[in-house]
Amino acid sequence: MSDQKSSNKFSGAEIIVKALINEGVNTIFGYPGGAILPFYDALFTQDKIHHVLTRHEQGAAHAAEGYARSTGKVGVITVTSGPGATNTITGLTDAYLDSIPLVCISGQVATGVIGTDGFQEADITGLTRSCTKHNYLVKDVNDLGYIIHEAFFIARSGRPGPVLIDIPKDVQNNHGTYNGLVEIKRKSYQAKKNQLKIDHEKISQIVDLLEKAKKPIFYTGGGIINSGVKASEFLLKLIHQTGYPITNTLMGLGGFPATDSHFIGMLGMHGTYEANMAMHDCDLMINIGARFDDRVTGKVSAFSPHSKKIHIDIDDCSINKIIKVDLAIIGDASEILEEIVREWNKRNLKNRQNEISNWWNQIKKWQKIDSLSYEKSESIIKPGYALQKLNELTKKFSPFVSTDVGQHQMWAAQYIQFDEAKKWLTSGGLGTMGYGVPAAIGAQIANPKSLVMCVSGDASFLMNMQELGTIKQYKLPVKIIILNNRYMGMVRQWQELIYEKRESQSYMESLPDFVKLAESFGIKGIRCENPQELEEKFNEMINHKGPVLFDCVIEKSENVFPMIPAGSAHNEILLGSQAKLYVQKDINAV
Amino acid sequence: MTDQIKKHVIAILVDNEFGALARIVELFSARGYNIESLNVAPISKDKKLSRITITTYGTSKTVDLICKLLNRIIPVHRAVELTREYGYIERELALVKIIGDEQKREEALKIADKYRTNIVDITGNSVVFEIIGTSEGIDEILEQFSPLGLEGVSRTGIAAGFKGEKKLDDID
């Protein structure tokens, strides 16, 4: 025993704690259980890492996502084996699709028991192989420290993503060597990073195209946000230097200031009329850090038929996957943008806003259609009104806003304006109902002084409402606004438009009294049913020091518009007044 | 042209560690692609690096994407589709067992001689042959063996490379 305790020999559990501290981790989200108890014991005797106890492991995963997205740091989850680990799978898949850096540490039954159907045993490396960037089963405590550092390196570098480390209980208990932070020399992975050297010939070609464009549009995504503040700065510079219009994807909101005059709104299925029409009619499209997702492209064969397309992305798998492009460059958005700005300056090019005035005039005509307008009401709260009000009242606080998934998510994306990156937290790729509340928890933990709001729906909120307990325990002043229409609104919308109003299972019966529910957790509940009272009640919510659950009772049958019917082209976009013209061209499109 | 389903052989250089093969195989199964043949063996002296050769049928477009996704797997060093390259060569080895009366065994030995296969074992009524050739070549011999008491076949799957001085590293 004395030999085991000598100098740099530690228990596996101690190595996990030390390695996390060396990675600069000060906050983790998790839930203890049998197979991870040695780690939780080591956690008990230290004070550098703050553990946030969620009420469900899925909550821990989304909270870590919210933490990661709002800070740019790696989010960390610690859970036990079996159900603890399998409960994180939705969160890991969510992070995989939205390129969020996570490290999930799961306990596992002891190595000798693996494969015998032990209590709470699940083959979590097998189960998560297709939803993680990489995963590990640690079999030797002497490998543990290195593996943790490699996992962080992989999670945050290149196209970020989730990494899982499965650590059997005996590996946590055994003693082994830990060498501290070491340089990660993984040849197979480094080789791919070397491919990211910028090709200056291509930068020059991009500027050739930029300086000749007559109808250009920048289309930028989550890659701008993942690349960091510098990417947003260079993007702003480039847009102001060129004088060109820009649209953002759902994941890219905030990467470019929404209140800037060059911004023409979000694009895609529920994007603005002007953004989608501009995508369709442009002669040059510059995609930076987006992946031609089907929500964005609509019908692929009719996608932007007359444009030259440039694609800048860190992941070469995204190039030519859906849309064939004319010029692709693989690399980090901020580095490439910096090079483009430099080349633009080197050539002494002037702002081209006036030279493309025909294009801007066309865009302004489209903007005049005011595609986000809705029928006003004196008696009932319209979701658009609620979110415009919320935006107006909270703008000065530059809040973090998370959402769940469905109609409320699209309305939030349409009506709340983000001028900064990392403020907008939403489940874009996977579309995970139940993401919003825990993601707001993660963002509030990371940004204790900031206003953090979660815009949710009645159906989505119920999926992870147990996290009200976490909010209460850590005194997190999160404001949750439920846009309550007593429906799974987006499902109902599709049933109305496509399935002749057969509302199959989309009606939420037996909803709880959300105010009483909040109060049962010791949280302030506010209900508002009247548009005249909304401003006052929103102010009451904002001014309340602690958490608030706000039940905002809205119009039941409001639909999200504009809308590009699934399987249709950008220029077939429908406004709210044209709902009757809805034609589903491809019944298999989702 | 890119929509045509045809045979593709992919070579993958990968760190020799558990989980790596599973990740590679799952890329195919997740897209509903069947792996026709697969072989793995360490190729470096320290046994840390393995070469995997996978034969699959699919459209060029999907196989191109699979190759990119294979390259994205952390322990994968290189993944290259070989079949479309100039100078592509392949070989496969099959161990074939014939059990039959003297007449059938003699017939089998004649065929074996014609195709220059090696005899690995003769015991009692059985003969075990070793056949080396292209997959199609082996198919042809097996066809001829089948009425002669063909009782067992074990094939290695395709091993592949290039003619001349061309190496895996020479491909972008």
Side-chain angles (χ1 to χ4, degrees):
Chain A
M1 274 312 279
S2 62
D3 179 47
Q4 284 200 330
K5 293 272 178 193
S6 71
S7 62
N8 59 347
K9 290 238 171 190
F10 304 100
S11 77
E14 289 166 337
I15 292 173
I16 303 172
V17 171
K18 283 181 189 300
L20 289 177
I21 292 169
N22 284 339
E23 284 293 340
V25 174
N26 53 30
T27 306
I28 60 178
F29 301 87
Y31 204 106
I36 193 79
L37 282 178
F39 165 72
Y40 271 84
D41 193 50
L43 198 63
F44 192 76
T45 52
Q46 59 82 47
D47 57 5
K48 293 207 169 71
I49 298 173
H50 172 49
H51 178 274
V52 178
L53 176 69
T54 56
R55 296 307 186 260
H56 188 293
E57 290 89 350
Q58 187 190 354
H62 294 319
E65 282 189 275
Y67 181 90
R69 191 67 170 171
S70 67
T71 58
K73 292 198 265 186
V74 177
V76 182
I77 313 155
T78 53
V79 292
T80 193
S81 63
T86 58
N87 277 341
T88 67
I89 288 179
T90 301
L92 295 174
T93 313
D94 194 273
Y96 191 59
L97 277 173
D98 283 346
S99 310
I100 309 289
L102 294 185
V103 168
C104 177
I105 292 174
S106 55
Q108 181 56 279
V109 298
T111 44
V113 184
I114 290 177
T116 65
D117 298 338
F119 177 64
Q120 293 195 328
E121 182 189 355
D123 169 18
I124 198 66
T125 48
L127 285 163
T128 58
R129 212 168 272 134
S130 58
C131 66
T132 52
K133 192 172 168 186
H134 194 51
N135 62 11
Y136 304 85
L137 169 64
V138 185
K139 290 168 88 178
D140 182 343
V141 65
N142 293 300
D143 298 334
L144 183 55
Y146 178 83
I147 284 175
I148 292 172
H149 294 309
E150 187 177 272
F152 273 85
F153 178 68
I154 289 171
R156 69 172 152 247
S157 56
R159 178 175 175 172
V163 178
L164 177 132
I165 312 169
D166 199 27
I167 310 177
K169 196 168 184 179
D170 55 328
V171 175
Q172 294 171 51
N173 283 325
N174 288 347
H175 284 73
T177 314
Y178 173 54
N179 294 322
L181 261 183
V182 284
E183 200 194 338
I184 303 303
K185 286 184 198 152
R186 177 124 195 178
K187 261 194 184 161
S188 59
Y189 190 55
Q190 298 285 4
K192 287 161 208 167
K193 293 213 74 185
N194 290 341
Q195 289 169 4
L196 301 182
K197 275 189 209 137
I198 294 173
D199 179 350
H200 288 277
E201 181 57 33
K202 282 191 177 168
I203 299 285
S204 178
Q205 288 168 7
I206 290 174
V207 178
D208 288 347
L209 289 169
L210 276 176
E211 67 169 317
K212 288 192 198 92
K214 293 191 174 71
K215 299 193 280 182
I217 182 147
F218 280 84
Y219 141 49
T220 69
I224 295 290
I225 290 155
N226 273 339
S227 176
V229 186
K230 270 179 75 185
S232 288
E233 285 169 8
F234 284 118
L235 180 63
L236 185 68
K237 213 177 257 180
L238 183 60
I239 295 295
H240 285 179
Q241 277 176 346
T242 55
Y244 290 173
I246 175 168
T247 175
N248 285 167
T249 67
L250 179 72
M251 293 306 294
L253 293 176
F256 186 84
T259 51
D260 188 284
S261 62
H262 298 80
F263 184 65
I264 61 169
M266 180 176 77
L267 81 163
M269 184 175 272
H270 295 296
T272 64
Y273 187 76
E274 52 271 30
N276 285 315
M277 291 303 284
M279 286 290 279
H280 185 269
D281 283 8
C282 66
D283 70 349
L284 178 67
M285 175 187 298
I286 310 100
N287 169 348
I288 311 173
R291 57 184 173 89
F292 295 106
D293 175 81
D294 55 65
R295 302 289 90 171
V296 157
T297 59
K299 185 180 182 181
V300 167
S301 59
F303 178 74
S304 193
H306 313 297
S307 61
K308 286 238 179 240
K309 298 173 187 74
I310 298 171
H311 192 180
I312 298 168
D313 205 286
I314 201 157
D315 179 13
D316 68 336
C317 295
S318 294
I319 310 284
N320 295 330
K321 183 175 71 177
I322 312 276
I323 299 290
K324 188 113 181 69
V325 296
D326 301 282
L327 181 59
I329 180 161
I330 298 158
D332 184 75
S334 72
E335 291 170 23
I336 292 167
L337 277 164
E338 184 175 7
E339 290 301 315
I340 296 173
V341 167
R342 184 174 298 155
E343 180 69 20
W344 186 271
N345 289 336
K346 210 174 93 188
R347 296 190 190 183
N348 269 323
L349 296 169
K350 300 276 177 303
N351 184 303
R352 298 190 75 246
Q353 184 136 13
N354 289 333
E355 288 181 52
I356 60 158
S357 58
N358 285 344
W359 179 232
W360 268 115
N361 288 338
Q362 176 62 60
I363 289 171
K364 277 174 191 143
K365 269 185 213 157
W366 288 326
Q367 282 175 323
K368 280 215 181 81
I369 286 170
D370 194 9
S371 61
L372 298 182
S373 63
Y374 50 89
E375 228 174 282
K376 306 269 186 305
S377 167
E378 296 283 310
S379 56
I380 192 141
I381 302 174
K382 291 283 191 160
Y385 175 75
L387 290 169
Q388 281 174 331
K389 227 352 124 205
L390 191 67
N391 182 52
E392 177 194 317
L393 297 174
T394 60
K395 197 137 204 18
K396 57 177 181 274
F397 303 112
S398 187
F400 289 88
V401 179
S402 75
T403 73
D404 276 296
V405 170
Q407 287 187 314
H408 70 270
Q409 178 189 29
M410 292 299 110
W411 285 318
Q414 290 174 333
Y415 294 109
I416 300 180
Q417 295 173 299
F418 296 93
D419 281 346
E420 290 168 47
K422 295 178 183 160
K423 299 277 169 147
W424 167 243
L425 319 166
T426 199
S427 169
L430 193 62
T432 310
M433 291 170 72
Y435 168 89
V437 173
I441 289 174
Q444 187 76 79
I445 295 267
N447 306 275
K449 297 231 162 70
S450 301
L451 175 62
V452 177
M453 306 192 291
C454 166
V455 176
S456 188
D458 44 297
S460 283
F461 172 76
L462 290 177
M463 280 211 185
N464 267 324
M465 67 163 194
Q466 77 284 346
E467 300 306 330
L468 289 179
T470 311
I471 288 172
K472 177 65 184 169
Q473 180 180 345
Y474 297 96
K475 301 186 178 68
L476 303 173
V478 171
K479 319 297 183 203
I480 302 165
I481 299 101
I482 300 174
L483 295 183
N484 181 356
N485 59 3
R486 287 80 74 206
Y487 269 120
M488 290 165 218
M490 192 58 95
V491 173
R492 189 204 51 72
Q493 175 168 346
W494 280 55
Q495 288 172 337
E496 179 188 324
L497 295 173
I498 302 158
Y499 297 96
E500 298 172 328
K501 298 194 179 176
R502 289 186 294 276
E503 293 173 356
S504 181
Q505 302 294 319
S506 55
Y507 177 59
M508 293 298 282
E509 254 183 299
S510 306
L511 283 173
D513 179 328
F514 288 113
V515 172
K516 283 188 185 157
L517 177 74
E519 285 165 357
S520 77
F521 277 93
I523 288 172
K524 186 179 176 66
I526 301 176
R527 177 173 298 117
C528 185
E529 295 171 282
N530 182 341
Q532 269 80 39
E533 294 169 5
L534 191 59
E535 180 162 340
E536 186 198 328
K537 289 197 170 172
F538 269 161
N539 276 328
E540 184 189 347
M541 170 186 83
I542 296 161
N543 294 329
H544 182 68
K545 292 266 184 292
V548 176
L549 183 62
F550 194 106
D551 183 15
C552 185
V553 181
I554 60 162
E555 161 78 54
K556 271 183 93 137
S557 54
E558 189 87 352
N559 287 333
V560 184
F561 278 103
M563 179 173 188
I564 301 172
S568 293
H570 282 156
N571 60 344
E572 297 173 283
I573 186 168
L574 297 177
L575 303 169
S577 55
Q578 300 169 310
K580 286 203 176 66
L581 302 175
Y582 192 99
V583 184
Q584 181 78 350
K585 297 211 169 142
D586 175 2
I587 56 161
N588 293 322
V590 287
Chain B
M1 277 301 279
T2 53
D3 292 338
Q4 216 177 357
I5 301 221
K6 44 180 198 187
K7 175 175 143 181
H8 299 269
V9 176
I10 301 166
I12 305 159
L13 292 179
V14 59
D15 286 334
N16 181 11
E17 62 182 33
F18 62 85
L21 182 62
R23 271 189 182 268
I24 289 164
V25 168
E26 271 167 23
L27 268 185
F28 289 81
S29 58
R31 280 157 189 80
Y33 271 47
N34 190 30
I35 291 177
E36 191 80 5
S37 85
L38 177 151
N39 64 52
V40 195
I43 54 162
S44 64
K45 207 175 165 191
D46 60 8
K47 307 236 171 196
K48 282 184 177 161
L49 193 68
S50 290
R51 179 156 165 161
I52 297 175
T53 311
I54 288 178
T55 310
T56 189
Y57 284 81
T59 65
S60 298
K61 195 176 174 222
T62 312
V63 171
D64 280 353
L65 180 60
I66 285 181
C67 280
K68 281 185 180 176
L69 291 165
L70 285 168
N71 275 306
R72 198 163 73 169
I73 294 173
I74 307 297
V76 169
H77 293 253
R78 294 286 322 265
V80 177
E81 199 219 326
L82 304 176
T83 13
R84 66 167 165 216
E85 294 289 330
Y86 174 75
Y88 168 77
I89 45 170
E90 66 171 47
R91 285 296 178 271
E92 190 180 355
L93 184 150
L95 285 178
V96 178
K97 180 172 289 185
I98 302 279
I99 303 175
D101 57 27
E102 202 178 339
Q103 194 198 335
K104 284 189 171 166
R105 293 199 311 270
E106 268 175 21
E107 185 73 18
L109 287 167
K110 264 188 225 155
I111 294 167
D113 195 43
K114 189 169 129 204
Y115 287 99
R116 285 178 299 166
T117 66
N118 291 320
I119 297 160
V120 180
D121 173 67
I122 301 181
T123 308
N125 289 333
S126 71
V127 191
V128 176
F129 297 102
E130 170 198 283
I131 314 171
I132 297 173
T134 62
S135 294
E136 286 76 14
I138 292 174
D139 289 344
E140 200 183 307
I141 301 170
L142 291 178
E143 183 79 14
Q144 299 199 30
F145 274 150
S146 69
L148 304 174
L150 180 64
E151 291 290 344
V153 182
S154 172
R155 300 172 68 150
T156 58
I158 288 173
F162 302 120
K163 290 179 186 166
E165 292 184 10
K166 185 169 176 176
K167 301 185 296 284
L168 218 51
D169 293 344
D170 299 337
I171 300 160
D172 306 327

